[in-house]
Amino acid sequence: MKIYLTAIITAKPEYRTGILEALQDMVKQTRKEAACECYRLHQDLEDENRFVFYEIWSSAEGLEEHNRQPYIKAFGGLRDQLQEQPRIYKTAVLEP
């Protein structure tokens, strides 16, 4: 079953540029992963420090593998540069 994931990340203002660079690198690396069907980074129009990922994964196993990648673990080391813990929403498509 596909996994649809939305992640909301809010940088502290003084770290916004570095966080953005790290997120953009994650996009480049993640799009190479076999289970990645979509990995898009958005920036909030009202708060330039808030970033939103929209992701589609072909399987839960693929998402688990993604979370073990060194660039994802490296981003975890930047948590003190965030205003709050990232909010992660895993969803499934509901069709009538």
Side-chain angles (χ1 to χ4, degrees):
M1 176 171 67
K2 289 187 184 187
I3 305 290
Y4 297 82
L5 189 143
T6 302
I8 301 171
I9 298 162
T10 307
K12 291 179 181 176
E14 64 271 24
Y15 296 112
R16 184 184 65 77
T17 300
I19 292 293
L20 176 57
E21 289 172 359
L23 297 176
Q24 289 173 324
D25 182 60
M26 286 168 46
V27 170
K28 289 178 192 173
Q29 299 298 328
T30 299
R31 287 183 175 169
K32 298 174 189 175
E33 295 179 43
C36 177
E37 293 186 13
C38 178
Y39 199 80
R40 295 192 178 241
L41 177 62
H42 303 257
Q43 186 173 30
D44 191 303
L45 293 175
E46 296 178 8
D47 182 350
E48 69 177 1
N49 300 308
R50 184 174 300 127
F51 303 95
V52 179
F53 274 111
Y54 176 71
E55 309 172 21
I56 302 174
W57 295 92
S58 61
S59 66
E61 295 81 15
L63 177 58
E64 290 171 14
E65 179 65 25
H66 166 70
N67 288 329
R68 290 191 291 267
Q69 297 303 310
Y71 42 90
I72 300 302
K73 290 184 177 187
F75 182 75
L78 303 177
R79 289 187 191 253
D80 62 331
Q81 297 180 20
L82 303 179
Q83 291 186 32
E84 59 189 17
Q85 291 283 3
R87 289 181 278 156
I88 310 289
Y89 303 93
K90 293 179 187 175
T91 62
V93 173
L94 297 178
E95 307 255 352

